[in-house]
Amino acid sequence: MLTISQFADRSGLSPSALRFYQRRGLLLPTGRRANGYRVYAEGQVEEARFISSLRAAGLPIAEIREFLRMSGRSREAMLATWQQDMTARLLSLQIADQYLRGVTSTQIPIHLEHWKEPSVLVWFPATAPEGPLAFRAAVTARKRELDRRRIPVLTSGYVRTLDLVDGHLHGEVGFRIRPGRRLPQGARRHDVPPTVFATLECSVRDEKAAHRVFRLLHGLGFRPGELHLERYLPGAPDRYLLMMAVRRIQPAAAAG
């Protein structure tokens, strides 16, 4: 058996860290000596190092405690979730770094919007005569429908134009809602993983906005992903937010 000082020396953790882990229920001493001092088993050294590694990876205490109580496939599933979350966080940091290295105070204002948690977009089919912000009426009507059904909307007014037939636009209007909500009949569910978007507020008169965004993203070293959205902005009858998911990056052209 090892005293707390001996165990701290073996595991590389401080006695205060071991006391903290004990208070949080992560690593309990095997017992106590007659004098009341804590003692640990040698077999706990590896466990202490593992817990410390998980903390260094930024994992919350509550999740680590839950993981330690699991076994077998449950542990594998939680590890897979952690790996996915870490991949998303690393991509977010890479994009932020690339953005700060490439952005200047004089260029067109492209910004980043980060959906840090998995999200659900609920989409409704829509048709409207061709024109600026053609689906605004559909957005308003579908928002009222969700309100009547008491489905809280996190952000609304997303639009995807799919086709133009005989002067009418065919597409979808969407809303970002919390996972686990039951969708209205006729709605399409779209699960979106944690995602970083490059965004640009555009005028409806700017017919080349998307092309300009692609060029700017390329100059910053970004590669747009598959998800492209337009978001109608409250109180802005002639403007919208162009949103392009950034899935991968490459070294910026200006990087030396």
Side-chain angles (χ1 to χ4, degrees):
M1 304 300 288
L2 302 172
T3 66
I4 189 170
S5 296
Q6 292 170 330
F7 189 78
D9 189 45
R10 284 282 301 276
S11 64
L13 279 73
S14 67
S16 61
L18 293 173
R19 295 187 188 98
F20 174 76
Y21 289 164
Q22 180 184 355
R23 291 195 302 270
R24 294 303 185 92
L26 296 180
L27 184 67
L28 302 179
T30 302
R32 291 181 181 267
R33 290 183 172 176
N35 57 12
Y37 289 166
R38 301 172 179 84
V39 290
Y40 294 83
E42 289 209 19
Q44 291 180 283
V45 171
E46 182 63 27
E47 184 178 4
R49 291 172 177 162
F50 180 59
I51 293 171
S52 180
S53 298
L54 295 178
R55 289 290 292 150
L59 296 171
I61 289 288
E63 292 187 18
I64 296 175
R65 183 167 54 240
E66 182 181 358
F67 176 84
L68 294 174
R69 293 170 180 170
M70 294 177 174
S71 60
R73 292 184 178 179
S74 296
R75 279 197 170 193
E76 292 176 5
M78 195 165 213
L79 280 172
T81 299
W82 284 343
Q83 290 163 1
Q84 292 170 1
D85 291 345
M86 183 62 69
T87 298
R89 290 204 300 270
L90 287 174
L91 176 60
S92 175
L93 289 173
Q94 287 177 322
I95 292 170
D97 177 71
Q98 198 81 359
Y99 177 80
L100 292 174
R101 290 176 184 273
V103 73
T104 70
S105 60
T106 58
Q107 74 178 80
I108 298 171
I110 280 188
H111 301 295
L112 299 180
E113 182 173 324
H114 188 189
W115 293 4
K116 296 182 180 180
E117 304 295 333
S119 302
V120 172
L121 288 172
V122 53
W123 291 103
F124 298 91
T127 303
E130 185 179 7
L133 303 183
F135 294 117
R136 185 174 290 280
V139 168
T140 301
R142 292 299 189 177
K143 174 63 165 57
R144 288 173 180 167
E145 179 181 348
L146 292 176
D147 289 341
R148 287 195 303 269
R149 295 175 179 271
R150 297 182 179 180
I151 300 176
V153 171
L154 300 179
T155 48
S156 62
Y158 298 104
V159 172
R160 298 177 69 235
T161 301
L162 304 177
D163 201 0
L164 173 63
V165 180
D166 297 331
H168 281 72
L169 295 172
H170 297 263
E172 297 178 305
V173 298
F175 305 83
R176 189 178 174 206
I177 65 173
R178 296 190 185 280
R181 295 287 179 173
R182 186 174 181 179
L183 303 187
Q185 186 175 3
R188 180 176 71 87
R189 178 190 176 100
H190 181 187
D191 291 290
V192 181
T195 302
V196 178
F197 292 91
T199 71
L200 177 67
E201 186 170 322
C202 306
S203 166
V204 294
R205 294 179 293 275
D206 187 356
E207 298 180 356
K208 297 183 178 180
H211 178 68
R212 289 163 57 235
V213 171
F214 274 112
R215 287 184 59 189
L216 288 168
L217 291 180
H218 178 75
L220 292 173
F222 294 164
R223 292 183 181 176
E226 296 180 359
L227 184 57
H228 298 176
L229 304 172
E230 294 179 10
R231 184 182 175 199
Y232 287 6
L233 302 171
D238 62 346
R239 303 189 70 79
Y240 65 95
L241 191 69
L242 185 62
M243 304 176 62
M244 294 188 179
V246 181
R247 293 293 189 184
R248 297 174 296 166
I249 62 173
Q250 60 185 358

